[in-house]
Structures are given as C-alpha cells and as structure tokens.
Amino acid sequence: MAIFSVYVVNKAGGLIYQLDHYAPRADTEKTFSFPLDLVLRPHDERVVVAFGQRDGIRVGHAVLAINGAEVNGRFTADGKDVLEFLNNPANYPVSIRFGRHRLSSNEKLMLASMFHSLFAIGSQLSPEVGSSGIEMLETDTFKLHCFQTLTGIKFVVLADPRQAGIDSLLRKIYEIYSDFALKNPFYSLEMPIRCELFDQNLKLALEVAEKAGPFGPGS
Amino acid sequence: MSRPPGRKQEYHKISRELFVLTYGALVAQLCKDYEKDEDVNTCLDRMGYGIGVRLIDDFLARSSVKKCRSYSETADVIAQVAFKMYLGVTPSVSCSSAAGNEFSLILDKNPLVDFVEELPAERASLCYCNLLCGVIRGALEMVHLAAEVTFLQDRLKGDAVTEIGITFLRKAEDRKHKRN
C-alpha cells in the first residue's frame, strides 16, 4: 500500500507544494557491447527505450547515465548527443544506466496547472448545475484523488488503487495546511509552501494513512 | 500551540484572560501610535482582515460545513458555528433588509470587552472590536463573498446591545476558471 505523491495547487492553478513519497525507483545499470540490442528513441528531452525490454530495463525507461556520468537530457555529460554516441562502435563497451525518469519541477508545475484547468472543465461538463470538479482519476497503476476547498485550494493525492482512507487523508492534509502553513505569519498566501513543520506533519500523516492499509484508518 | 500530530483533534486551551489582555494591549498600543480614531479603526480592520483570510481555512477544515447556498445561510453559519467555535458565544441573527443581503449579529456577550466598561472620552468613536469586523470580511472574501462589515451598535458607546452589520455586496466576479 503506498501513497505516491501529494500536490497542493493554489486558486490560480499554480503548484505551491509537492511531495514525492514513493520508494526509490530501481535503476538498472548494465554494460553493453556494440550493437545495442535495445531500441532507443528520443522523447521530449530524453532518450527512452522504445523496444527490447529485458533484465529490468523496461520500455519507457530513460537513459540516466552513461559510463557513470549523468546525461543531460539528450546529451552526455560532455555535450555529445546520446544517440550518436551510442551509434558509434568506437565508444563500446559502454555502461548505461536506465531507469524511470522522475518529473522535473517545471514539468510538475505544468501538469498541476493542466490539472487545474481540467478540474474546471470537469465541473462545467456536468449535466447537473453546481457539480464539483474532478474528484478521482483512476488508472491501472494509481488513483488520483482531488479535494477542493471552498477557498479554492486543491489537494491532490496520488496513491495505490487499493489504498483506502484517502478522503480522510485529504481532510487531514487540509487541517495540516491550515495549521502549519496558514498560521505561520511568515507564509504569504498562494505562495510556495516552505514550512518545515508542514513537511514533517504531512509525512507523518502519510505514514499513518499507509500503515492503516487497504481498510483505512480506524479499522 | 501546535497540535501534536497523529492524535485525535484536541484544542490546546490557553487562558482566556491572556487572550483578552493581549487584545486590550494591542488596542492600547494602536491608540498610542495613532491620534485619530478612524486610523485605529482602519488598522484594526486591516489586522482582522489578515487574520480572517487565514482563519477561514482553519474554520472550514475543522467544522466541515457544506457550501452555503444563500446569504442567510452564511450569516447563520457565521453566528452559530464560527462565533461559537472561536469566541464561545452565539450571537443572534436577524435580516435587516428586504433585499436579503443585510444581516445583523447581535452579541449579548462579547469576551473581548470583558474588562472594559466604556471608552475614554477622547476615544469616543473608537470601534474597540473592529478586529472582528476585519476577520469576518477577510474570511468571507476568501469564499468569494464580498461584504462590508461594521459595528452598528456598541455597548461601549452607550448603546443597548452590540450589533455587527454584514452587508453582502454583489457576488465576486467569476473568473475564467469558474469554481463551483
């Protein structure tokens, strides 16, 4: 049972807080000889595995490091294009580390504002007047729960689909926000939350919710 | 004053006297800082506003009231839930306009003026509890209800009761991303 991440979005759709809570992903580092039996292709700003899944290296994993040096998007640490580098037999044998790419903070900001817009669209699409926005988004690997307060702040939690008690967790996060963020006189409203106490108490609440397991707290 | 995390919600009580004294000290200091009563009143209102915009989330988080569907429902919630929760008193609500957007809260007990009998002669137009007006105004603004909140009657000034008037103005403009 796991809670993967928490996002807090302000009234204007800007991300003011984000926490990733999932276990460290497993990176796979292997040495390869020419020719590479994986099919790589560029995707956005990274090089990802398109085909040839094996040994823990899965489709969708990105190239994280070559020969120990972290890659910078599509380029190696010394500025060479990754795909060109790997097409050149002279560079082999080479050790490449693959893993799931973590979202950068810019990407998270973008996704949060996109979700904010979708949330509003959700409430407008409703056949009933005065409907709420998106409350839950379900996929096969996670469930996204969203709670919007009457003041317009949204709390978004991504969790395992079997995890229960997220509703009460969202209310609890609202309480923690109203305590440790709002009551902090040095915190300005709508700005990114940089309060140590908020972090600590949030992590504690997540752990309590996770321990409670699939039946929610109080079971 | 923070709540120990993980435990069931507890209200950490502090002394009421301390709170009332702190408020009194605040008003006294403002009176020293500003000569005119209007300035003190404005200052109190602004401070209250700053409190209100933060207090509203605390109120909503703890009381889990549903969204109010009318002004009178809002006024009732303010009087019966919010005042009860924060000051321990329950003012009575009355609607004072045909349009249904003016309400008054009549406080027969006001903890903030426990130790004050009447205002000094040179501070005759001071609204001692103007902080409360600011709090209500700030809180309402955060739930997209613009309102004017003032003291209509004040026991400290010799009136029979203390009356806070809330006038709801036109509902705040709905912005591009309409929130329901």
Side-chain angles (χ1 to χ4, degrees):
Chain A
M1 297 302 118
I3 294 171
F4 302 133
S5 24
V6 178
Y7 293 75
V8 182
V9 181
N10 69 8
K11 281 192 261 252
L15 186 65
I16 57 174
Y17 183 79
Q18 201 281 320
L19 176 72
D20 282 328
H21 194 63
Y22 42 83
R25 59 185 172 181
D27 296 343
T28 325
E29 183 150 16
K30 285 211 160 19
T31 314
F32 298 91
S33 53
F34 191 80
L36 204 56
D37 53 354
L38 304 162
V39 177
L40 299 175
R41 64 175 175 87
H43 175 76
D44 284 347
E45 283 306 311
R46 334 182 259 284
V47 177
V48 298
V49 176
F51 206 73
Q53 190 163 293
R54 66 154 173 123
D55 288 345
I57 300 169
R58 313 200 32 190
V59 169
H61 276 192
V63 173
L64 299 176
I66 292 187
N67 289 333
E70 293 216 349
V71 305
N72 187 0
R74 306 239 301 258
F75 300 94
T76 63
D78 27 336
K80 295 199 264 301
D81 185 271
V82 167
L83 287 169
E84 271 174 38
F85 185 87
L86 293 174
N87 274 333
N88 185 352
N91 293 319
Y92 284 80
V94 71
S95 152
I96 313 178
R97 176 152 51 100
F98 291 95
R100 199 156 178 274
H101 172 80
R102 277 237 178 127
L103 291 171
S104 73
S105 24
N106 269 348
E107 284 172 336
K108 286 176 187 164
L109 271 161
M110 253 185 2
L111 290 174
S113 18
M114 238 186 279
F115 180 74
H116 170 85
S117 312
L118 287 175
F119 183 96
I121 291 173
S123 71
Q124 287 175 22
L125 277 175
S126 163
E128 296 278 320
V129 171
S131 148
S132 78
I134 297 175
E135 285 184 346
M136 180 150 70
L137 200 131
E138 189 170 344
T139 73
D140 55 351
T141 46
F142 74 91
K143 260 191 200 168
L144 179 152
H145 302 252
C146 178
F147 168 57
Q148 182 181 60
T149 68
L150 290 174
T151 47
I153 311 267
K154 282 187 261 303
F155 297 95
V156 177
V157 167
L158 271 67
D160 190 289
R162 293 157 295 172
Q163 179 77 39
I166 299 290
D167 275 341
S168 57
L169 173 66
L170 284 167
R171 305 279 178 288
K172 182 92 189 104
I173 298 180
Y174 187 25
E175 271 181 38
I176 295 175
Y177 167 77
S178 78
D179 279 343
F180 299 104
L182 291 185
K183 296 201 179 88
N184 181 343
F186 303 112
Y187 167 68
S188 333
L189 258 52
E190 310 292 298
M191 288 289 121
I193 302 175
R194 304 229 183 286
C195 311
E196 193 53 55
L197 283 172
F198 179 76
D199 276 334
Q200 288 171 6
N201 282 275
L202 183 61
K203 288 189 182 124
L204 220 63
L206 292 181
E207 271 154 38
V208 167
E210 278 183 336
K211 276 204 192 73
F215 300 106
S219 58
Chain B
M1 299 295 139
S2 60
R3 208 155 289 110
R7 289 220 266 143
K8 214 171 165 294
Q9 190 185 91
E10 280 172 27
Y11 284 102
H12 192 120
K13 293 198 179 355
I14 62 167
S15 150
R16 172 189 164 124
E17 274 77 21
L18 180 61
F19 176 63
V20 175
L21 275 172
T22 307
Y23 187 73
L26 176 78
V27 179
Q29 186 59 45
L30 283 175
C31 288
K32 285 204 196 85
D33 291 341
Y34 296 100
E35 271 193 27
K36 302 217 298 218
D37 292 344
E38 292 76 43
D39 291 338
V40 180
N41 290 341
T42 314
C43 208
L44 281 171
D45 186 80
R46 234 179 317 130
M47 275 191 232
Y49 180 82
I51 295 176
V53 299
R54 292 163 185 262
L55 200 65
I56 180 70
D57 275 312
D58 180 79
F59 171 66
L60 291 173
R62 281 178 221 305
S63 67
S64 47
V65 293
K66 294 277 168 289
K67 187 172 153 94
C68 291
R69 297 279 168 199
S70 68
Y71 291 142
S72 70
E73 215 181 309
T74 312
D76 285 335
V77 166
I78 294 176
Q80 285 151 18
V81 192
F83 265 85
K84 183 100 206 303
M85 196 189 277
Y86 291 111
L87 287 175
V89 294
T90 313
S92 52
V93 187
S94 62
C95 179
S96 55
S97 88
N101 66 333
E102 283 175 30
F103 295 86
S104 31
L105 305 176
I106 304 190
L107 286 132
D108 51 350
K109 262 190 311 183
N110 184 354
L112 290 177
V113 300
D114 266 354
F115 306 130
V116 184
E117 238 335 290
E118 55 180 28
L119 297 171
E122 66 272 16
R123 290 282 174 195
S125 55
L126 174 70
C127 292
Y128 187 79
C129 298
N130 217 27
L131 195 93
L132 291 181
C133 295
V135 172
I136 299 174
R137 184 171 65 91
L140 286 173
E141 190 171 307
M142 293 302 274
V143 284
H144 309 269
L145 288 169
E148 267 172 22
V149 189
T150 49
F151 271 93
L152 299 175
Q153 295 187 75
D154 198 345
R155 258 216 195 102
L156 292 180
K157 294 189 183 142
D159 298 319
V161 291
T162 306
E163 188 179 342
I164 300 179
I166 305 178
T167 308
F168 290 100
L169 308 170
R170 193 174 48 85
K171 207 166 159 75
E173 280 300 316
D174 281 325
R175 267 124 32 55
K176 210 168 67 158
H177 292 304
K178 195 168 130 132
R179 184 191 60 81
N180 273 320

